[in-house]
Amino acid sequence: MQLMAKPDRTFGLIVGIEKYHETAWNVPGGGPADDALKFAHWLHLHDVPKENIRLCLSALEENHQLIGECGLTVELATEQNISDIVTNFLSPKSGDLLYIFWAGHGVITSERERRLLCADANKQNWQNLDLNSLLVLLGSDKFQIRNHICIIDACANYVLEPKGRPTNLGGKAFLSGQPKQDSQQFVLLATREGEKAEVNSENKTGYFSQAVREAFAAANGTFPPDMREVTEAVKQRFISLDKKQLPTYFYSRSWDGDIEKSHFNPFDIPHNIQQSQARKFVGRDEEIEQLRQLLQVNDVVAISDVTGQGGVGKTELAIQYSWQYLEDYSGGCC
């Protein structure tokens, strides 16, 4: 997706959270704060005015020196402050493009809503933002910046409590207006539903954030970068990594109130695919590709083994295929 945007009409909401009120949720060694700082720096290098960039950080004590070196005003990454920035600062602004970058923890609720945990979250009060409602607000007439690129480096796993998944997370849900007639929105997510966003603790960065930075650098100064090219580069990078996460995206363009989706919104795909228990899944790329080709020309395909024995990997092959190609089956996967 190639958008036209003037730097002085570009805005950024950049969030990096590695320290939480619930200290058990802290990111060991850090990473999210530095990733957010690097993204804010990238915006400023492309002539986005400092006053257009709102940077919200919660850094571990050992990483506080990063904040002092950034040269930007740093704000609290609390639910109240971030929601105030969205509703009171960004909403009335007239602009071409808004970047949202978020690095930190995220969860999926029992209603399959993706939530982003804020720095003041704890087990008694899950302070969070409802990402789905935020995206709807951005595309409505209550938000004046026309186009949006959201890059979310956060988990999308299911949090388990003693009595089941949390259904009463509370948090900030945004109220929207009517869909705008001319607006584009591109959302690039580090994880599909049920997955964990991995952090490179040695280099103190999220693997996803690092891949996005590399893709931006490959754009050779083009601003804004083409997000379809960025997404393809990020996905190719993750193919080479031994990680149980696969970035995904969706893009919507509204016109006269209609929404055209060139890639199915992964939030909406029903499935009951179990999580793989394999620590490492290698050496079966040929079988995955063969299965994909068979399913292009057949309504029914059976995965079988001539020995009839259990434990040879039939179920695992089905699980791996289902997660890799879930977005090709918008009706659902069972």
mmCIF file of all heavy atoms in Angstrom, residues 255-291:
data_model
loop_
_atom_site.group_PDB
_atom_site.id
_atom_site.type_symbol
_atom_site.label_atom_id
_atom_site.label_comp_id
_atom_site.label_asym_id
_atom_site.label_seq_id
_atom_site.Cartn_x
_atom_site.Cartn_y
_atom_site.Cartn_z
ATOM 1 N N TRP A 255 -14.862 3.730 1.146
ATOM 2 C CA TRP A 255 -15.293 4.681 0.127
ATOM 3 C C TRP A 255 -16.821 4.709 0.134
ATOM 4 O O TRP A 255 -17.450 3.687 -0.080
ATOM 5 C CB TRP A 255 -14.773 4.286 -1.251
ATOM 6 C CG TRP A 255 -15.131 5.269 -2.318
ATOM 7 C CD1 TRP A 255 -16.126 5.155 -3.239
ATOM 8 C CD2 TRP A 255 -14.506 6.527 -2.566
ATOM 9 N NE1 TRP A 255 -16.157 6.254 -4.039
ATOM 10 C CE2 TRP A 255 -15.183 7.123 -3.665
ATOM 11 C CE3 TRP A 255 -13.464 7.224 -1.975
ATOM 12 C CZ2 TRP A 255 -14.820 8.379 -4.159
ATOM 13 C CZ3 TRP A 255 -13.113 8.460 -2.474
ATOM 14 C CH2 TRP A 255 -13.784 9.020 -3.554
ATOM 15 N N ASP A 256 -17.376 5.867 0.393
ATOM 16 C CA ASP A 256 -18.830 5.994 0.509
ATOM 17 C C ASP A 256 -19.394 5.005 1.544
ATOM 18 O O ASP A 256 -20.503 4.477 1.379
ATOM 19 C CB ASP A 256 -19.515 5.758 -0.842
ATOM 20 C CG ASP A 256 -19.195 6.876 -1.825
ATOM 21 O OD1 ASP A 256 -18.862 7.984 -1.358
ATOM 22 O OD2 ASP A 256 -19.263 6.644 -3.031
ATOM 23 N N GLY A 257 -18.629 4.765 2.591
ATOM 24 C CA GLY A 257 -19.117 3.919 3.681
ATOM 25 C C GLY A 257 -18.872 2.447 3.491
ATOM 26 O O GLY A 257 -19.099 1.667 4.400
ATOM 27 N N ASP A 258 -18.421 2.014 2.299
ATOM 28 C CA ASP A 258 -18.155 0.601 2.076
ATOM 29 C C ASP A 258 -16.715 0.282 2.455
ATOM 30 O O ASP A 258 -15.832 1.128 2.376
ATOM 31 C CB ASP A 258 -18.378 0.226 0.606
ATOM 32 C CG ASP A 258 -19.835 0.370 0.206
ATOM 33 O OD1 ASP A 258 -20.689 0.176 1.086
ATOM 34 O OD2 ASP A 258 -20.110 0.693 -0.955
ATOM 35 N N ILE A 259 -16.467 -0.962 2.843
ATOM 36 C CA ILE A 259 -15.114 -1.389 3.203
ATOM 37 C C ILE A 259 -14.702 -2.536 2.293
ATOM 38 O O ILE A 259 -15.412 -3.528 2.163
ATOM 39 C CB ILE A 259 -15.036 -1.835 4.671
ATOM 40 C CG1 ILE A 259 -15.308 -0.641 5.600
ATOM 41 C CG2 ILE A 259 -13.660 -2.420 4.986
ATOM 42 C CD1 ILE A 259 -15.267 -0.995 7.064
ATOM 43 N N GLU A 260 -13.574 -2.357 1.662
ATOM 44 C CA GLU A 260 -13.024 -3.398 0.801
ATOM 45 C C GLU A 260 -11.800 -3.972 1.501
ATOM 46 O O GLU A 260 -10.879 -3.234 1.851
ATOM 47 C CB GLU A 260 -12.613 -2.792 -0.538
ATOM 48 C CG GLU A 260 -11.789 -3.709 -1.421
ATOM 49 C CD GLU A 260 -11.154 -2.942 -2.569
ATOM 50 O OE1 GLU A 260 -11.818 -2.062 -3.135
ATOM 51 O OE2 GLU A 260 -9.986 -3.228 -2.874
ATOM 52 N N LYS A 261 -11.796 -5.259 1.741
ATOM 53 C CA LYS A 261 -10.672 -5.884 2.431
ATOM 54 C C LYS A 261 -9.895 -6.729 1.429
ATOM 55 O O LYS A 261 -10.414 -7.693 0.901
ATOM 56 C CB LYS A 261 -11.158 -6.745 3.602
ATOM 57 C CG LYS A 261 -11.767 -5.902 4.731
ATOM 58 C CD LYS A 261 -12.132 -6.734 5.919
ATOM 59 C CE LYS A 261 -12.693 -5.849 7.036
ATOM 60 N NZ LYS A 261 -13.133 -6.621 8.196
ATOM 61 N N SER A 262 -8.655 -6.336 1.207
ATOM 62 C CA SER A 262 -7.835 -7.100 0.277
ATOM 63 C C SER A 262 -7.160 -8.275 0.975
ATOM 64 O O SER A 262 -6.532 -9.088 0.344
ATOM 65 C CB SER A 262 -6.777 -6.199 -0.357
ATOM 66 O OG SER A 262 -5.930 -5.671 0.631
ATOM 67 N N HIS A 263 -7.276 -8.342 2.282
ATOM 68 C CA HIS A 263 -6.738 -9.470 3.033
ATOM 69 C C HIS A 263 -7.653 -9.692 4.219
ATOM 70 O O HIS A 263 -7.993 -8.757 4.917
ATOM 71 C CB HIS A 263 -5.318 -9.178 3.515
ATOM 72 C CG HIS A 263 -4.561 -10.412 3.876
ATOM 73 N ND1 HIS A 263 -4.722 -11.058 5.060
ATOM 74 C CD2 HIS A 263 -3.634 -11.110 3.187
ATOM 75 C CE1 HIS A 263 -3.914 -12.106 5.103
ATOM 76 N NE2 HIS A 263 -3.246 -12.150 3.979
ATOM 77 N N PHE A 264 -8.077 -10.906 4.432
ATOM 78 C CA PHE A 264 -9.108 -11.161 5.428
ATOM 79 C C PHE A 264 -8.615 -10.800 6.820
ATOM 80 O O PHE A 264 -7.493 -11.103 7.200
ATOM 81 C CB PHE A 264 -9.528 -12.633 5.393
ATOM 82 C CG PHE A 264 -10.884 -12.854 5.996
ATOM 83 C CD1 PHE A 264 -12.023 -12.693 5.230
ATOM 84 C CD2 PHE A 264 -11.021 -13.177 7.331
ATOM 85 C CE1 PHE A 264 -13.266 -12.879 5.788
ATOM 86 C CE2 PHE A 264 -12.270 -13.354 7.886
ATOM 87 C CZ PHE A 264 -13.388 -13.203 7.110
ATOM 88 N N ASN A 265 -9.460 -10.124 7.549
ATOM 89 C CA ASN A 265 -9.141 -9.729 8.915
ATOM 90 C C ASN A 265 -8.997 -10.986 9.782
ATOM 91 O O ASN A 265 -9.968 -11.710 9.992
ATOM 92 C CB ASN A 265 -10.271 -8.848 9.449
ATOM 93 C CG ASN A 265 -9.990 -8.326 10.843
ATOM 94 O OD1 ASN A 265 -9.158 -8.859 11.557
ATOM 95 N ND2 ASN A 265 -10.685 -7.283 11.225
ATOM 96 N N PRO A 266 -7.790 -11.271 10.297
ATOM 97 C CA PRO A 266 -7.621 -12.512 11.072
ATOM 98 C C PRO A 266 -8.439 -12.551 12.348
ATOM 99 O O PRO A 266 -8.664 -13.611 12.913
ATOM 100 C CB PRO A 266 -6.114 -12.511 11.382
ATOM 101 C CG PRO A 266 -5.689 -11.085 11.255
ATOM 102 C CD PRO A 266 -6.567 -10.487 10.198
ATOM 103 N N PHE A 267 -8.931 -11.384 12.830
ATOM 104 C CA PHE A 267 -9.769 -11.380 14.027
ATOM 105 C C PHE A 267 -11.066 -12.160 13.785
ATOM 106 O O PHE A 267 -11.677 -12.672 14.710
ATOM 107 C CB PHE A 267 -10.168 -9.950 14.411
ATOM 108 C CG PHE A 267 -9.018 -9.077 14.825
ATOM 109 C CD1 PHE A 267 -9.082 -7.707 14.613
ATOM 110 C CD2 PHE A 267 -7.889 -9.595 15.425
ATOM 111 C CE1 PHE A 267 -8.049 -6.892 14.996
ATOM 112 C CE2 PHE A 267 -6.854 -8.781 15.819
ATOM 113 C CZ PHE A 267 -6.932 -7.420 15.605
ATOM 114 N N ASP A 268 -11.487 -12.206 12.521
ATOM 115 C CA ASP A 268 -12.826 -12.697 12.224
ATOM 116 C C ASP A 268 -12.866 -14.159 11.790
ATOM 117 O O ASP A 268 -13.934 -14.664 11.458
ATOM 118 C CB ASP A 268 -13.464 -11.841 11.120
ATOM 119 C CG ASP A 268 -13.666 -10.403 11.559
ATOM 120 O OD1 ASP A 268 -13.755 -10.181 12.779
ATOM 121 O OD2 ASP A 268 -13.725 -9.519 10.689
ATOM 122 N N ILE A 269 -11.744 -14.846 11.716
ATOM 123 C CA ILE A 269 -11.735 -16.214 11.220
ATOM 124 C C ILE A 269 -11.972 -17.188 12.380
ATOM 125 O O ILE A 269 -11.125 -17.304 13.274
ATOM 126 C CB ILE A 269 -10.400 -16.549 10.527
ATOM 127 C CG1 ILE A 269 -10.151 -15.586 9.355
ATOM 128 C CG2 ILE A 269 -10.412 -17.988 10.020
ATOM 129 C CD1 ILE A 269 -8.833 -15.805 8.649
ATOM 130 N N PRO A 270 -13.116 -17.867 12.389
ATOM 131 C CA PRO A 270 -13.357 -18.830 13.478
ATOM 132 C C PRO A 270 -12.493 -20.073 13.305
ATOM 133 O O PRO A 270 -12.254 -20.529 12.185
ATOM 134 C CB PRO A 270 -14.847 -19.168 13.323
ATOM 135 C CG PRO A 270 -15.141 -18.919 11.878
ATOM 136 C CD PRO A 270 -14.245 -17.791 11.444
ATOM 137 N N HIS A 271 -11.994 -20.613 14.393
ATOM 138 C CA HIS A 271 -11.197 -21.835 14.318
ATOM 139 C C HIS A 271 -11.107 -22.467 15.702
ATOM 140 O O HIS A 271 -11.378 -21.822 16.711
ATOM 141 C CB HIS A 271 -9.782 -21.537 13.788
ATOM 142 C CG HIS A 271 -8.937 -20.763 14.758
ATOM 143 N ND1 HIS A 271 -8.251 -21.347 15.800
ATOM 144 C CD2 HIS A 271 -8.680 -19.426 14.851
ATOM 145 C CE1 HIS A 271 -7.597 -20.434 16.477
ATOM 146 N NE2 HIS A 271 -7.849 -19.254 15.935
ATOM 147 N N ASN A 272 -10.738 -23.734 15.720
ATOM 148 C CA ASN A 272 -10.446 -24.407 16.976
ATOM 149 C C ASN A 272 -9.125 -25.153 16.877
ATOM 150 O O ASN A 272 -8.954 -26.230 17.443
ATOM 151 C CB ASN A 272 -11.584 -25.359 17.376
ATOM 152 C CG ASN A 272 -11.731 -26.515 16.393
ATOM 153 O OD1 ASN A 272 -11.136 -26.506 15.320
ATOM 154 N ND2 ASN A 272 -12.531 -27.508 16.754
ATOM 155 N N ILE A 273 -8.170 -24.564 16.155
ATOM 156 C CA ILE A 273 -6.871 -25.200 15.972
ATOM 157 C C ILE A 273 -6.120 -25.195 17.300
ATOM 158 O O ILE A 273 -5.949 -24.145 17.916
ATOM 159 C CB ILE A 273 -6.035 -24.455 14.910
ATOM 160 C CG1 ILE A 273 -6.851 -24.209 13.634
ATOM 161 C CG2 ILE A 273 -4.771 -25.249 14.572
ATOM 162 C CD1 ILE A 273 -6.192 -23.239 12.687
ATOM 163 N N GLN A 274 -5.662 -26.342 17.707
ATOM 164 C CA GLN A 274 -4.910 -26.408 18.955
ATOM 165 C C GLN A 274 -3.493 -25.888 18.741
ATOM 166 O O GLN A 274 -2.992 -25.823 17.618
ATOM 167 C CB GLN A 274 -4.869 -27.848 19.464
ATOM 168 C CG GLN A 274 -4.073 -28.813 18.585
ATOM 169 C CD GLN A 274 -4.280 -30.248 19.003
ATOM 170 O OE1 GLN A 274 -5.345 -30.821 18.819
ATOM 171 N NE2 GLN A 274 -3.249 -30.854 19.557
ATOM 172 N N GLN A 275 -2.845 -25.477 19.831
ATOM 173 C CA GLN A 275 -1.464 -25.025 19.742
ATOM 174 C C GLN A 275 -0.525 -26.222 19.610
ATOM 175 O O GLN A 275 -0.712 -27.261 20.237
ATOM 176 C CB GLN A 275 -1.086 -24.224 20.985
ATOM 177 C CG GLN A 275 -1.732 -22.855 21.039
ATOM 178 C CD GLN A 275 -1.299 -21.985 19.871
ATOM 179 O OE1 GLN A 275 -0.137 -21.691 19.698
ATOM 180 N NE2 GLN A 275 -2.251 -21.579 19.061
ATOM 181 N N SER A 276 0.493 -26.057 18.770
ATOM 182 C CA SER A 276 1.476 -27.117 18.596
ATOM 183 C C SER A 276 2.292 -27.301 19.878
ATOM 184 O O SER A 276 2.648 -26.338 20.547
ATOM 185 C CB SER A 276 2.407 -26.774 17.436
ATOM 186 O OG SER A 276 3.512 -27.655 17.409
ATOM 187 N N GLN A 277 2.593 -28.534 20.201
ATOM 188 C CA GLN A 277 3.457 -28.838 21.340
ATOM 189 C C GLN A 277 4.900 -29.093 20.899
ATOM 190 O O GLN A 277 5.765 -29.382 21.719
ATOM 191 C CB GLN A 277 2.922 -30.075 22.089
ATOM 192 C CG GLN A 277 1.519 -29.891 22.650
ATOM 193 C CD GLN A 277 1.430 -28.700 23.578
ATOM 194 O OE1 GLN A 277 2.235 -28.548 24.502
ATOM 195 N NE2 GLN A 277 0.449 -27.833 23.334
ATOM 196 N N ALA A 278 5.138 -28.996 19.593
ATOM 197 C CA ALA A 278 6.483 -29.240 19.068
ATOM 198 C C ALA A 278 7.398 -28.074 19.416
ATOM 199 O O ALA A 278 7.041 -26.909 19.212
ATOM 200 C CB ALA A 278 6.431 -29.426 17.547
ATOM 201 N N ARG A 279 8.560 -28.365 19.951
ATOM 202 C CA ARG A 279 9.530 -27.317 20.262
ATOM 203 C C ARG A 279 10.169 -26.793 18.985
ATOM 204 O O ARG A 279 10.561 -25.624 18.915
ATOM 205 C CB ARG A 279 10.614 -27.862 21.195
ATOM 206 C CG ARG A 279 10.117 -28.194 22.594
ATOM 207 C CD ARG A 279 11.230 -28.734 23.458
ATOM 208 N NE ARG A 279 12.314 -27.773 23.601
ATOM 209 C CZ ARG A 279 12.324 -26.808 24.503
ATOM 210 N NH1 ARG A 279 11.307 -26.667 25.346
ATOM 211 N NH2 ARG A 279 13.338 -25.978 24.596
ATOM 212 N N LYS A 280 10.285 -27.657 17.976
ATOM 213 C CA LYS A 280 10.896 -27.264 16.712
ATOM 214 C C LYS A 280 10.261 -28.082 15.599
ATOM 215 O O LYS A 280 10.167 -29.308 15.701
ATOM 216 C CB LYS A 280 12.410 -27.498 16.767
ATOM 217 C CG LYS A 280 13.195 -26.843 15.656
ATOM 218 C CD LYS A 280 14.690 -26.962 15.936
ATOM 219 C CE LYS A 280 15.492 -26.217 14.874
ATOM 220 N NZ LYS A 280 16.947 -26.297 15.147
ATOM 221 N N PHE A 281 9.803 -27.446 14.550
ATOM 222 C CA PHE A 281 9.149 -28.143 13.444
ATOM 223 C C PHE A 281 9.966 -27.876 12.186
ATOM 224 O O PHE A 281 9.933 -26.783 11.625
ATOM 225 C CB PHE A 281 7.709 -27.642 13.280
ATOM 226 C CG PHE A 281 6.928 -28.421 12.251
ATOM 227 C CD1 PHE A 281 6.362 -29.645 12.570
ATOM 228 C CD2 PHE A 281 6.767 -27.930 10.962
ATOM 229 C CE1 PHE A 281 5.639 -30.357 11.636
ATOM 230 C CE2 PHE A 281 6.048 -28.637 10.017
ATOM 231 C CZ PHE A 281 5.480 -29.858 10.350
ATOM 232 N N VAL A 282 10.721 -28.860 11.751
ATOM 233 C CA VAL A 282 11.605 -28.681 10.595
ATOM 234 C C VAL A 282 11.533 -29.930 9.725
ATOM 235 O O VAL A 282 11.054 -30.985 10.135
ATOM 236 C CB VAL A 282 13.074 -28.449 11.024
ATOM 237 C CG1 VAL A 282 13.218 -27.156 11.804
ATOM 238 C CG2 VAL A 282 13.601 -29.615 11.850
ATOM 239 N N GLY A 283 12.016 -29.773 8.486
ATOM 240 C CA GLY A 283 12.190 -30.920 7.603
ATOM 241 C C GLY A 283 10.940 -31.416 6.913
ATOM 242 O O GLY A 283 10.968 -32.475 6.272
ATOM 243 N N ARG A 284 9.810 -30.665 7.026
ATOM 244 C CA ARG A 284 8.580 -31.148 6.401
ATOM 245 C C ARG A 284 7.950 -30.093 5.496
ATOM 246 O O ARG A 284 6.752 -30.098 5.257
ATOM 247 C CB ARG A 284 7.588 -31.605 7.490
ATOM 248 C CG ARG A 284 8.176 -32.680 8.406
ATOM 249 C CD ARG A 284 7.153 -33.271 9.332
ATOM 250 N NE ARG A 284 6.195 -34.111 8.625
ATOM 251 C CZ ARG A 284 5.173 -34.732 9.210
ATOM 252 N NH1 ARG A 284 4.988 -34.587 10.508
ATOM 253 N NH2 ARG A 284 4.337 -35.459 8.509
ATOM 254 N N ASP A 285 8.803 -29.199 5.008
ATOM 255 C CA ASP A 285 8.313 -28.166 4.091
ATOM 256 C C ASP A 285 7.690 -28.779 2.842
ATOM 257 O O ASP A 285 6.692 -28.284 2.320
ATOM 258 C CB ASP A 285 9.455 -27.229 3.685
ATOM 259 C CG ASP A 285 9.954 -26.396 4.853
ATOM 260 O OD1 ASP A 285 9.230 -26.304 5.861
ATOM 261 O OD2 ASP A 285 11.070 -25.853 4.755
ATOM 262 N N GLU A 286 8.283 -29.877 2.357
ATOM 263 C CA GLU A 286 7.774 -30.528 1.147
ATOM 264 C C GLU A 286 6.369 -31.072 1.371
ATOM 265 O O GLU A 286 5.485 -30.934 0.508
ATOM 266 C CB GLU A 286 8.726 -31.651 0.731
ATOM 267 C CG GLU A 286 8.341 -32.319 -0.587
ATOM 268 C CD GLU A 286 9.353 -33.373 -1.022
ATOM 269 O OE1 GLU A 286 10.529 -33.279 -0.603
ATOM 270 O OE2 GLU A 286 8.958 -34.290 -1.779
ATOM 271 N N GLU A 287 6.153 -31.687 2.548
ATOM 272 C CA GLU A 287 4.816 -32.223 2.836
ATOM 273 C C GLU A 287 3.784 -31.103 3.001
ATOM 274 O O GLU A 287 2.635 -31.245 2.557
ATOM 275 C CB GLU A 287 4.865 -33.074 4.117
ATOM 276 C CG GLU A 287 5.538 -34.431 3.948
ATOM 277 C CD GLU A 287 7.027 -34.364 4.259
ATOM 278 O OE1 GLU A 287 7.576 -33.247 4.199
ATOM 279 O OE2 GLU A 287 7.625 -35.413 4.549
ATOM 280 N N ILE A 288 4.184 -29.981 3.636
ATOM 281 C CA ILE A 288 3.274 -28.844 3.789
ATOM 282 C C ILE A 288 2.871 -28.322 2.415
ATOM 283 O O ILE A 288 1.681 -28.062 2.157
ATOM 284 C CB ILE A 288 3.942 -27.722 4.609
ATOM 285 C CG1 ILE A 288 4.091 -28.138 6.086
ATOM 286 C CG2 ILE A 288 3.152 -26.420 4.503
ATOM 287 C CD1 ILE A 288 2.840 -28.028 6.906
ATOM 288 N N GLU A 289 3.833 -28.171 1.520
ATOM 289 C CA GLU A 289 3.543 -27.648 0.183
ATOM 290 C C GLU A 289 2.692 -28.635 -0.610
ATOM 291 O O GLU A 289 1.768 -28.248 -1.333
ATOM 292 C CB GLU A 289 4.842 -27.345 -0.556
ATOM 293 C CG GLU A 289 4.670 -26.862 -1.992
ATOM 294 C CD GLU A 289 3.817 -25.597 -2.109
ATOM 295 O OE1 GLU A 289 3.724 -24.832 -1.125
ATOM 296 O OE2 GLU A 289 3.231 -25.381 -3.193
ATOM 297 N N GLN A 290 2.977 -29.936 -0.474
ATOM 298 C CA GLN A 290 2.169 -30.947 -1.163
ATOM 299 C C GLN A 290 0.722 -30.912 -0.682
ATOM 300 O O GLN A 290 -0.217 -31.007 -1.481
ATOM 301 C CB GLN A 290 2.774 -32.337 -0.934
ATOM 302 C CG GLN A 290 2.042 -33.454 -1.678
ATOM 303 C CD GLN A 290 2.638 -34.823 -1.376
ATOM 304 O OE1 GLN A 290 3.435 -34.975 -0.444
ATOM 305 N NE2 GLN A 290 2.250 -35.825 -2.150
ATOM 306 N N LEU A 291 0.549 -30.757 0.619
ATOM 307 C CA LEU A 291 -0.797 -30.674 1.187
ATOM 308 C C LEU A 291 -1.519 -29.439 0.657
ATOM 309 O O LEU A 291 -2.708 -29.498 0.306
ATOM 310 C CB LEU A 291 -0.697 -30.636 2.706
ATOM 311 C CG LEU A 291 -2.005 -30.658 3.512
ATOM 312 C CD1 LEU A 291 -2.858 -31.855 3.137
ATOM 313 C CD2 LEU A 291 -1.702 -30.662 5.005
#
